[in-house]
Every structure is written in structure tokens, then in C-alpha cells.
Amino acid sequence: MEPTRTDWLIGDIDPLAVAAAYACGHCNSTTELRTVDSTVRAVVHHDDSCPVLTGALSSAPDVVRALVGHVPDTFRP
């Protein structure tokens, strides 16, 4: 039997809630949602001097904090 495959790794994610929960730990960023080719994208506007904007630091920890409340219980330890 061939394994079942899915495009979803952690279930349905509410982009509005994730964008609202995102906060950069290094600046006073703001977020907005844009729809491009019927795909909702979260856009983060960092301060000009933010190390995340310049690529010196990763935004991964901030993204994980925003997603934590949206991971289904079945994927939590």
C-alpha cells in the first residue's frame, strides 16, 4: 500500500491569527496580510535597523512563537 501524502504538516493554520500573534523580538515591527494570486501572505515591516531585516538574525524564533498557539493538539507531545 502506498503511503498517504499531504501538503499540510501541522494542520490548518489561520493566517490572520498568526499575523496578529507575530512580534519581532528585535524591533517594533508591524504585520499586514496581502493576497497575491489568491494566496494569503503575511508581510512583516521591520524597522530599518532591525538585525532580522538585514539577515544578521533569523526570524524563526518569532515565527515559532506566533505558530505555537495554532498547532493542533495531535501534534503536541
Side-chain angles (χ1 to χ4, degrees):
M1 174 193 249
E2 186 170 330
T4 303
R5 302 201 191 304
T6 180
D7 291 337
W8 298 102
L9 294 177
I10 57 173
D12 293 328
I13 296 173
D14 179 5
L16 293 171
V18 173
Y22 180 88
C24 179
H26 305 285
C27 73
N28 297 315
S29 64
T30 59
T31 58
E32 69 174 295
L33 292 177
R34 293 183 185 165
T35 303
V36 178
D37 297 328
S38 70
T39 301
V40 178
R41 298 178 186 268
V43 179
V44 180
H45 300 281
H46 293 275
D47 295 343
D48 290 339
S49 61
C50 180
V52 173
L53 180 65
T54 62
L57 292 174
S58 171
S59 65
D62 301 320
V63 173
V64 169
R65 278 193 296 275
L67 286 172
V68 164
H70 306 286
V71 177
D73 291 337
T74 55
F75 289 92
R76 295 180 188 211

